[in-house]
Amino acid sequence: MTSDPRHQVLVASNRGPVSFEFAADGSLSGRRGGGGMVSGLTSGLAARAVDGPSGSPAVWVCAAMSEADRAAARQGVVLAGEGPGDVPVLMLDIPAATFEAAYNGIANSVLWFVHHMLYDTPNQPQFGAGFRADWAAYHAYNDAFATALSGQAGTALSGQAGTALSGQAGTALSGQSDTALSGQAGKGARVLIQDYHLALAPRLLRDRRPDARIAHFSHTPWAPPAYFRMLPDDVAVAILDGMLGADHLGFLAGRWADAFLDCCAEVLGAQVDRVRRSVTYRGRAIQVAVHPLGVDAQALRARARADDVRAHATALTKGAGDRQLIVRVDRTELSKNIVRGLAAYRELLATRPQWHGRVVHLAFAYPSRSAIPEYRAYTDTVVKVAAEVNEEFGTPEWQPVMLEVKDDYPRSLAACLIADVLLINPIRDGMNLVAEEGPILSERGCALVLSREAGAAALIGENALLINPYDISATAEALDAALSMPVPERQRRCAAMTEAAAAAAPQHWLAAQLDTLDRRDSLDHLE
Ligand code: F6P
């Protein structure tokens, strides 16, 4: 194993690749984490461990998100994965109240809403005293990550973050260097910070560790300046200033990178080069780049060959009969636009009766962020509208919508295998990995109806049927076109989308970011 700390890679994200539950007997059991960011990083790091520079250690620093996670973190265990290439995980035991305020109060209820442009603006947002308390927690949460990464654990958050880092880790991690075990960045280490939860961490880390080579990656869209400036002025400045503490800022699509540059120019008055995509700020040049995230097609197909997926595919096919299947797979997330998707399907059936009895809409809408009232209300609406469509058009032989709300990964893979049409219509989406996974998995060669507001549209949109996600009639028309598309054309388009998604596989996405950080060495720093 190499001891050169510059080869070390530290990943920092809110959600980690593992989460814990209490079993009935009170013991802890671990489960793999989900979501686009986690799955992209997990397979990128795994491939790197297999193919990459031999022996370069990696550690993944994440937050404890539940009581069970906190209990695991408090045991001081650094959790090693079991698969080849799994990275050790360092969970930060951030106090529950601080975590809740930072995660639900700011990250999910403010920053997510801003970047996805989700506010009902006549009523929301309202930035008052409650917001300020949450914002202070968000700062403390970011500081806990920066402290852990910089190796000054034990000082932040009344020493609680330090507990997780104190590390009786040697047992779980034989062969790792001491620095890697403690979660500290070795001198010149590369630190990959993820997403809107950790917008302040790059600056907080740079202040402590000017030697670290820091990248931040946004897995969401970025709001245009007019929307971003809804944030209180000092908060808007703090977020941009925080991110610009990095050397390299990555985005999933050109639109999001350009919106970030526009915010830097308008909010900070920073010097922005839109052609080279760079920002000069506080005496440093920060590079902004686009790294689309694709899918490891081979690994995904291998998973889909497993018996559990095949059994689900058989059951779903039986349930649908010989009808065509329109499939969607989403978290029940406001930005995913599930209600308008159902409204478009309803309009398809209302205006084109030739499809009655010949199509089924299989909609997977898994629970998400139920701590937030808007999400609970949205989930109720999804269930209600699906029931209305069935009430309006269903017959004893035909149920037009099959809504499944239980999170079942193998079953959702099975749905993609047998889809004729995939409906992905988010209001805004950083990328949308299902839009890429669907065509890769599809055995029938599915047609893709895709929102032009998803980052994936830039990667695979040429072969999809692109829609304006607010236009229900246009979405119904696209569904009609997709259902009517000759199978050879569907298959040709599906193959082209598969190729584009596979070419941007996570290992390439990750390698591109690490290469850019390595190249920073040859750039002139102005400070
Ligand atoms: O879209 C960016 C992302 O990080 C996804 O990876 C993930 O689905 C989501 O945001 C975060 O979700 P959660 O709050 O459940 O971690």
Side-chain angles (χ1 to χ4, degrees):
M1 173 132 332
T2 177
S3 58
D4 184 349
R6 292 175 64 78
H7 287 166
Q8 188 189 0
V9 175
L10 285 131
V11 172
S13 66
N14 173 64
R15 185 179 292 279
V18 64
S19 64
F20 287 87
E21 279 169 5
F22 287 115
D25 64 358
S27 65
L28 288 165
S29 68
R31 202 180 159 215
R32 284 174 181 275
M37 180 271 296
V38 165
S39 63
L41 270 166
T42 305
S43 51
L45 288 167
R48 180 175 172 275
V50 174
D51 307 329
S54 61
S56 50
V59 176
W60 191 326
V61 181
C62 63
M65 295 183 69
S66 64
E67 273 315 311
D69 281 359
R70 277 184 278 276
R74 259 178 233 132
Q75 289 179 6
V77 178
V78 177
L79 308 147
E82 283 162 13
D86 275 350
V87 294
V89 177
L90 196 57
M91 252 185 195
L92 301 186
D93 177 18
I94 294 169
T98 305
F99 174 78
E100 286 305 322
Y103 176 61
N104 279 318
I106 299 295
N108 289 346
S109 299
V110 176
L111 301 180
W112 182 272
F113 274 59
V114 167
H115 290 315
H116 291 85
M117 298 169 64
L118 293 175
Y119 281 122
D120 164 24
T121 51
N123 300 300
Q124 295 291 340
Q126 298 188 14
F127 296 122
F131 167 79
R132 286 292 162 181
D134 289 349
W135 178 247
Y138 181 79
H139 190 284
Y141 162 99
N142 272 261
D143 204 52
F145 273 83
T147 302
L149 293 165
S150 69
Q152 291 164 23
T155 52
L157 295 168
S158 340
Q160 302 223 24
T163 320
L165 296 171
S166 60
Q168 297 133 29
T171 48
L173 287 173
S174 51
Q176 297 285 338
S177 73
D178 286 350
T179 354
L181 281 175
S182 69
Q184 303 172 15
K187 196 161 173 45
R190 295 165 293 182
V191 185
L192 307 178
I193 300 175
Q194 309 301 310
D195 249 339
Y196 52 98
H197 315 87
L198 292 171
L200 307 182
R203 170 73 56 206
L204 293 167
L205 177 58
R206 173 154 311 284
D207 287 348
R208 290 167 170 83
R209 291 289 304 271
D211 62 290
R213 293 176 291 165
I214 307 171
H216 182 282
F217 198 89
S218 292
H219 296 261
T220 59
W222 193 270
Y227 209 89
F228 187 74
R229 298 192 86 168
M230 267 196 277
L231 290 167
D233 292 354
D234 61 313
V235 171
V237 168
I239 285 171
L240 297 172
D241 177 79
M243 286 177 61
L244 290 167
D247 298 293
H248 179 78
L249 296 171
F251 292 88
L252 289 165
R255 290 174 66 189
W256 318 141
D258 292 341
F260 177 82
L261 292 172
D262 291 344
C263 287
C264 289
E266 283 196 33
V267 176
L268 296 178
Q271 193 189 320
V272 164
D273 181 336
R274 287 188 173 76
V275 178
R276 289 181 164 167
R277 289 205 173 108
S278 74
V279 183
T280 305
Y281 179 67
R282 290 176 62 173
R284 294 172 55 247
I286 297 100
Q287 191 179 8
V288 176
V290 179
H291 301 290
L293 176 58
V295 174
D296 181 339
Q298 233 182 326
L300 185 65
R301 287 200 187 109
R303 176 66 187 88
R305 280 194 292 272
D307 290 349
D308 55 350
V309 177
R310 291 288 145 190
H312 282 301
T314 306
L316 288 169
T317 307
K318 199 164 162 226
D322 56 2
R323 302 176 177 100
Q324 290 208 63
L325 269 183
I326 301 175
V327 170
R328 78 173 303 141
V329 179
D330 287 301
R331 294 185 291 121
T332 311
E333 157 58 52
L334 309 184
S335 62
K336 301 294 182 187
N337 209 18
I338 302 170
V339 173
R340 284 196 192 83
L342 287 166
Y345 181 62
R346 178 187 237 160
E347 189 162 314
L348 173 86
L349 298 179
T351 56
R352 296 160 175 90
Q354 68 272 25
W355 291 116
H356 290 194
R358 294 179 51 213
V359 62
V360 169
H361 184 16
L362 186 53
F364 287 76
Y366 301 143
S368 179
R369 298 184 185 168
S370 47
I372 302 175
E374 285 91 337
Y375 282 68
R376 292 198 295 273
Y378 192 71
T379 303
D380 292 346
T381 310
V382 168
V383 172
K384 181 172 145 281
V385 176
E388 283 170 7
V389 176
N390 282 335
E391 178 72 19
E392 201 174 330
F393 299 100
T395 65
E397 297 76 39
W398 173 52
Q399 183 182 327
V401 181
M402 288 161 67
L403 176 68
E404 302 218 358
V405 295
K406 188 170 160 279
D407 188 349
D408 189 333
Y409 181 62
R411 196 164 169 85
S412 62
L413 292 182
C416 290
L417 285 179
I418 59 172
D420 294 284
V421 176
L422 195 62
L423 172 59
I424 312 262
N425 64 325
I427 293 168
R428 267 164 91 78
D429 211 333
M431 194 75 203
N432 198 301
L433 287 183
V434 182
E436 302 179 55
E437 290 165 344
I440 288 171
L441 288 168
S442 171
E443 290 181 338
R444 301 180 182 179
C446 69
L448 174 64
V449 174
L450 177 64
S451 166
R452 65 189 186 196
E453 303 303 321
L459 189 68
I460 55 173
E462 226 180 299
N463 286 290
L465 297 167
L466 290 181
I467 48 151
N468 166 353
Y470 299 96
D471 191 336
I472 286 165
S473 299
T475 307
E477 198 179 317
L479 288 175
D480 181 46
L483 290 166
S484 313
M485 192 181 282
V487 171
E489 184 180 348
R490 260 172 46 174
Q491 288 172 339
R492 180 185 60 73
R493 288 176 181 239
C494 191
M497 290 188 283
T498 295
E499 200 183 323
Q507 56 266 39
H508 305 310
W509 169 80
L510 187 65
Q513 293 173 68
L514 292 172
D515 285 353
T516 321
L517 275 185
D518 288 342
R519 281 202 303 274
R520 287 292 300 182
D521 291 347
S522 58
L523 295 178
D524 285 333
H525 284 245
L526 302 177
E527 88 185 347

